[in-house]
Amino acid sequence: MLEDLKGKRVLITGSSIGIGAAVAREMGRLGARIAVHGHTSILAAQKVVEDIENEKGFAALVSGDVAEAESAAHIVEDAVSALGGLDILINNAGSMIRRLSNEDFDNALYDQVFDLNVRSVYTVTKAALPHLKSAGGGAIVNSGSIAGRSGGAGGSSIYSAAKAAVHSISRNMAREFAPYKIRVNTVAPGFIDTAFHAETSEEKRQAALEAIALGRLGTVEDCVGAYVFLSSETMSGYITGQIIDVNGGQMTP
C-alpha cells in the first residue's frame, strides 16, 4: 500500500539527526526522492544523504536556518530545484534550545524558540505551497510534541507553548488547504530517546518511563511509521487536521 510513495518529492526539515533522519532514510528506502535538510549538523545531514544513496535511493542536501524567513524560502527553492518539484513537506525542524523556568522568563529565548518551532512552519509552508499546488495536491506533516498537549515538564514552558501553536496551526492549515487537495497533519512524539534529551536528568527520565504504559522510552524508529502513514495518500487520503500521538501510552488525550 506504500507503492504510492515511489517517486514522490519530499522535503524534510531538520532531517540530519533524530526523528527527521530516520524518516528520511525510510522514505528514501520506499522510493521517495528526498531533500535532506541540515543547518548546524551539515556533516550528519550529508551522512543521511549518503545512506539513502547507498540503498539506491535519491537524496539531495539542502541547508539553511529555517528560523529566518529568507533562508526558509531558499531552502524550499533549493529542494524544489534538486527534486524537480514537491509533493510532501515534513516540517520537523525544532528544538527546546534550553530549559528555563517561568519565573526566569527571557524574551530572547522566547524569540529563538518561537522562530525555530513556529515561524518556520509558516515560512517554509508558505514557500512550499505554490509547488504543492502545482503538483495537484500533497501532504504536509508537522512535528508537534506531547509537551504541546500536556504543558510539558519543568523548564519547558516556552517550548510547550510553541508546540501547542504548531498543533493549532496544523488544524487551521488543514481546513485552508483542503480545496487544493493538500492534507495537513501533525505527529506528536512523547519521550523519544534521542540527543534532544541528552541533558534531561535521570530523575526526569525515570519519571517519564514510569508514566509510559508500554514500559520503555520511545525510539526514532517508533515514530517513523506515523510520518510515512500520513505522507501516503493511499494510507491516509481521508485524514487531515489530526494529531497522531506516538508516546507509548504516556498520555492518552
Side-chain angles (χ1 to χ4, degrees):
M1 293 183 73
L2 294 171
E3 291 293 311
D4 68 318
L5 290 175
K6 286 186 177 180
K8 293 296 184 183
R9 301 158 298 182
V10 186
L11 166 60
I12 308 173
T13 68
S15 47
S16 58
I17 60 174
I19 293 171
V23 173
R25 290 186 175 100
E26 179 61 11
M27 296 279 275
R29 188 187 70 80
L30 290 169
R33 296 165 60 84
I34 311 297
V36 177
H37 164 256
H39 175 47
T40 59
S41 303
I42 295 296
L43 291 179
Q46 183 59 51
K47 177 62 166 58
V48 176
V49 170
E50 292 170 2
D51 288 346
I52 294 170
E53 291 177 336
N54 288 339
E55 293 295 324
K56 310 304 180 186
F58 178 92
L61 176 65
V62 296
S63 63
D65 186 355
V66 295
E68 297 181 359
E70 186 175 345
S71 176
H74 285 307
I75 291 166
V76 172
E77 293 309 314
D78 289 346
V80 168
S81 177
L83 301 176
L86 193 65
D87 302 292
I88 298 166
L89 168 64
I90 299 178
N91 284 309
N92 177 68
S95 173
M96 189 184 299
I97 300 179
R98 63 184 173 90
R99 291 186 180 273
L100 188 73
S101 70
N102 291 304
E103 184 177 8
D104 295 324
F105 174 80
D106 179 87
N107 280 292
L109 181 63
Y110 176 92
D111 289 343
Q112 282 182 288
V113 172
F114 267 74
D115 282 350
L116 176 57
N117 292 278
V118 180
R119 187 189 300 274
S120 67
V121 173
Y122 281 119
T123 54
V124 173
T125 301
K126 179 180 179 179
L129 190 58
H131 303 289
L132 294 171
K133 286 181 179 180
S134 294
I140 298 172
V141 184
N142 296 322
S143 288
S145 171
I146 191 174
R149 294 275 208 184
S150 69
S156 67
S157 178
I158 299 173
Y159 174 77
S160 301
K163 287 304 186 180
V166 172
H167 294 182
S168 184
I169 292 164
S170 300
R171 293 185 182 107
N172 186 277
M173 286 181 172
R175 290 191 293 271
E176 182 177 333
F177 299 162
Y180 309 126
K181 298 182 180 178
I182 298 170
R183 298 178 299 106
V184 187
N185 292 287
T186 303
V187 177
F191 195 116
I192 307 301
D193 198 9
T194 67
F196 181 93
H197 285 291
E199 297 182 11
T200 299
S201 70
E202 187 56 37
E203 180 183 4
K204 285 188 172 66
R205 292 173 68 89
Q206 190 59 37
L209 179 58
E210 291 173 0
I212 297 172
L214 291 181
R216 64 176 177 82
L217 300 180
T219 67
V220 294
E221 289 77 18
D222 289 323
C223 298
V224 167
Y227 287 89
V228 172
F229 169 74
L230 292 173
S231 296
S232 166
E233 180 71 19
T234 302
M235 295 287 286
S236 62
Y238 197 55
I239 298 176
T240 194
Q242 303 304 307
I243 299 171
I244 306 298
D245 296 283
V246 184
N247 61 41
Q250 183 180 357
M251 184 180 183
T252 53

Short mmCIF file of all heavy atoms in Angstrom, two decimals, residues 188-215:
data_model
loop_
_atom_site.label_atom_id
_atom_site.label_comp_id
_atom_site.label_asym_id
_atom_site.label_seq_id
_atom_site.Cartn_x
_atom_site.Cartn_y
_atom_site.Cartn_z
N ALA A 188 2.82 13.94 17.11
CA ALA A 188 3.22 14.45 18.43
C ALA A 188 3.95 13.35 19.19
O ALA A 188 3.32 12.52 19.87
CB ALA A 188 1.99 14.92 19.21
N PRO A 189 5.28 13.31 19.11
CA PRO A 189 6.04 12.29 19.83
C PRO A 189 6.02 12.54 21.34
O PRO A 189 5.94 13.68 21.79
CB PRO A 189 7.45 12.42 19.27
CG PRO A 189 7.29 13.19 17.98
CD PRO A 189 6.14 14.11 18.24
N GLY A 190 6.15 11.44 22.09
CA GLY A 190 6.32 11.55 23.53
C GLY A 190 7.80 11.61 23.86
O GLY A 190 8.58 12.26 23.15
N PHE A 191 8.22 10.93 24.92
CA PHE A 191 9.63 10.92 25.32
C PHE A 191 10.37 9.96 24.39
O PHE A 191 10.31 8.75 24.55
CB PHE A 191 9.78 10.47 26.77
CG PHE A 191 11.13 10.76 27.37
CD1 PHE A 191 11.26 11.64 28.42
CD2 PHE A 191 12.28 10.17 26.86
CE1 PHE A 191 12.50 11.93 28.97
CE2 PHE A 191 13.54 10.45 27.39
CZ PHE A 191 13.65 11.32 28.46
N ILE A 192 11.06 10.53 23.42
CA ILE A 192 11.83 9.74 22.46
C ILE A 192 13.31 9.87 22.83
O ILE A 192 13.83 10.98 22.98
CB ILE A 192 11.59 10.21 21.02
CG1 ILE A 192 10.09 10.24 20.70
CG2 ILE A 192 12.34 9.32 20.04
CD1 ILE A 192 9.38 8.91 20.85
N ASP A 193 13.98 8.76 22.99
CA ASP A 193 15.35 8.74 23.49
C ASP A 193 16.34 9.14 22.40
O ASP A 193 16.91 8.30 21.71
CB ASP A 193 15.67 7.35 24.03
CG ASP A 193 16.88 7.36 24.96
OD1 ASP A 193 17.36 8.45 25.31
OD2 ASP A 193 17.35 6.26 25.33
N THR A 194 16.50 10.44 22.22
CA THR A 194 17.41 10.99 21.22
C THR A 194 18.31 12.04 21.87
O THR A 194 18.23 12.29 23.08
CB THR A 194 16.63 11.68 20.08
OG1 THR A 194 15.97 12.84 20.62
CG2 THR A 194 15.59 10.74 19.48
N ALA A 195 19.13 12.68 21.05
CA ALA A 195 20.01 13.74 21.55
C ALA A 195 19.22 14.90 22.14
O ALA A 195 19.74 15.68 22.94
CB ALA A 195 20.90 14.25 20.41
N PHE A 196 17.93 15.01 21.76
CA PHE A 196 17.06 16.05 22.31
C PHE A 196 17.06 15.97 23.84
O PHE A 196 16.96 16.99 24.53
CB PHE A 196 15.64 15.87 21.77
CG PHE A 196 14.64 16.88 22.23
CD1 PHE A 196 14.39 18.02 21.48
CD2 PHE A 196 13.94 16.70 23.42
CE1 PHE A 196 13.46 18.97 21.91
CE2 PHE A 196 13.01 17.64 23.85
CZ PHE A 196 12.78 18.78 23.08
N HIS A 197 17.15 14.75 24.36
CA HIS A 197 17.10 14.55 25.82
C HIS A 197 18.47 14.30 26.42
O HIS A 197 18.57 13.74 27.52
CB HIS A 197 16.16 13.38 26.15
CG HIS A 197 14.72 13.72 26.00
ND1 HIS A 197 14.07 14.59 26.84
CD2 HIS A 197 13.80 13.31 25.10
CE1 HIS A 197 12.81 14.70 26.49
NE2 HIS A 197 12.61 13.94 25.43
N ALA A 198 19.51 14.72 25.73
CA ALA A 198 20.87 14.47 26.21
C ALA A 198 21.12 15.10 27.59
O ALA A 198 21.88 14.56 28.40
CB ALA A 198 21.89 15.01 25.21
N GLU A 199 20.48 16.23 27.85
CA GLU A 199 20.69 16.91 29.12
C GLU A 199 19.53 16.72 30.09
O GLU A 199 19.48 17.36 31.15
CB GLU A 199 20.94 18.41 28.87
CG GLU A 199 22.20 18.67 28.06
CD GLU A 199 22.47 20.15 27.85
OE1 GLU A 199 21.79 20.98 28.50
OE2 GLU A 199 23.35 20.47 27.04
N THR A 200 18.59 15.84 29.75
CA THR A 200 17.49 15.55 30.66
C THR A 200 18.01 14.73 31.83
O THR A 200 18.73 13.74 31.64
CB THR A 200 16.38 14.77 29.93
OG1 THR A 200 15.88 15.57 28.86
CG2 THR A 200 15.24 14.44 30.88
N SER A 201 17.67 15.14 33.03
CA SER A 201 18.18 14.47 34.23
C SER A 201 17.65 13.04 34.31
O SER A 201 16.60 12.71 33.77
CB SER A 201 17.76 15.24 35.48
OG SER A 201 16.37 15.14 35.69
N GLU A 202 18.40 12.21 35.02
CA GLU A 202 17.98 10.83 35.22
C GLU A 202 16.65 10.76 35.96
O GLU A 202 15.82 9.88 35.71
CB GLU A 202 19.05 10.05 35.98
CG GLU A 202 18.78 8.56 36.08
CD GLU A 202 18.58 7.89 34.74
OE1 GLU A 202 19.27 8.27 33.77
OE2 GLU A 202 17.76 6.96 34.66
N GLU A 203 16.44 11.71 36.85
CA GLU A 203 15.18 11.76 37.60
C GLU A 203 13.99 11.98 36.66
O GLU A 203 12.96 11.30 36.77
CB GLU A 203 15.23 12.88 38.63
CG GLU A 203 13.96 13.02 39.47
CD GLU A 203 14.04 14.20 40.43
OE1 GLU A 203 15.04 14.95 40.40
OE2 GLU A 203 13.08 14.37 41.21
N LYS A 204 14.15 12.91 35.71
CA LYS A 204 13.08 13.18 34.74
C LYS A 204 12.88 12.00 33.79
O LYS A 204 11.75 11.67 33.41
CB LYS A 204 13.37 14.46 33.96
CG LYS A 204 13.14 15.75 34.73
CD LYS A 204 13.26 16.95 33.82
CE LYS A 204 12.84 18.24 34.54
NZ LYS A 204 13.72 18.62 35.63
N ARG A 205 13.97 11.37 33.39
CA ARG A 205 13.87 10.20 32.51
C ARG A 205 13.11 9.08 33.21
O ARG A 205 12.25 8.43 32.61
CB ARG A 205 15.27 9.72 32.11
CG ARG A 205 16.02 10.67 31.19
CD ARG A 205 17.45 10.19 30.98
NE ARG A 205 17.50 8.97 30.21
CZ ARG A 205 17.57 8.90 28.89
NH1 ARG A 205 17.60 10.01 28.18
NH2 ARG A 205 17.64 7.75 28.28
N GLN A 206 13.42 8.86 34.47
CA GLN A 206 12.76 7.80 35.22
C GLN A 206 11.28 8.11 35.42
O GLN A 206 10.43 7.21 35.32
CB GLN A 206 13.44 7.61 36.58
CG GLN A 206 12.99 6.37 37.34
CD GLN A 206 13.22 5.08 36.58
OE1 GLN A 206 14.24 4.92 35.89
NE2 GLN A 206 12.28 4.14 36.68
N ALA A 207 10.97 9.38 35.68
CA ALA A 207 9.57 9.78 35.85
C ALA A 207 8.78 9.55 34.57
O ALA A 207 7.64 9.08 34.59
CB ALA A 207 9.49 11.24 36.28
N ALA A 208 9.41 9.88 33.43
CA ALA A 208 8.75 9.66 32.14
C ALA A 208 8.54 8.18 31.90
O ALA A 208 7.45 7.75 31.48
CB ALA A 208 9.59 10.26 31.01
N LEU A 209 9.57 7.37 32.19
CA LEU A 209 9.47 5.93 31.98
C LEU A 209 8.33 5.33 32.79
O LEU A 209 7.57 4.48 32.29
CB LEU A 209 10.79 5.27 32.36
CG LEU A 209 10.87 3.74 32.21
CD1 LEU A 209 10.58 3.32 30.78
CD2 LEU A 209 12.25 3.25 32.65
N GLU A 210 8.17 5.76 34.02
CA GLU A 210 7.13 5.22 34.89
C GLU A 210 5.73 5.59 34.40
O GLU A 210 4.75 4.90 34.73
CB GLU A 210 7.34 5.72 36.32
CG GLU A 210 8.58 5.11 36.98
CD GLU A 210 8.87 5.72 38.33
OE1 GLU A 210 8.12 6.63 38.76
OE2 GLU A 210 9.86 5.30 38.97
N ALA A 211 5.64 6.66 33.61
CA ALA A 211 4.34 7.10 33.11
C ALA A 211 3.96 6.45 31.78
O ALA A 211 2.84 6.62 31.30
CB ALA A 211 4.34 8.62 32.95
N ILE A 212 4.89 5.72 31.17
CA ILE A 212 4.66 5.14 29.85
C ILE A 212 4.07 3.74 29.98
O ILE A 212 4.69 2.84 30.54
CB ILE A 212 5.97 5.10 29.03
CG1 ILE A 212 6.48 6.52 28.80
CG2 ILE A 212 5.76 4.38 27.70
CD1 ILE A 212 7.87 6.59 28.18
N ALA A 213 2.88 3.56 29.46
CA ALA A 213 2.16 2.29 29.61
C ALA A 213 2.94 1.11 29.03
O ALA A 213 2.93 0.01 29.59
CB ALA A 213 0.79 2.40 28.94
N LEU A 214 3.63 1.33 27.92
CA LEU A 214 4.36 0.23 27.27
C LEU A 214 5.68 -0.09 27.96
O LEU A 214 6.38 -1.03 27.56
CB LEU A 214 4.59 0.53 25.80
CG LEU A 214 3.32 0.53 24.92
CD1 LEU A 214 3.67 0.82 23.47
CD2 LEU A 214 2.57 -0.79 25.03
N GLY A 215 6.05 0.70 28.98
CA GLY A 215 7.17 0.35 29.83
C GLY A 215 8.55 0.59 29.28
O GLY A 215 9.54 0.03 29.78
#
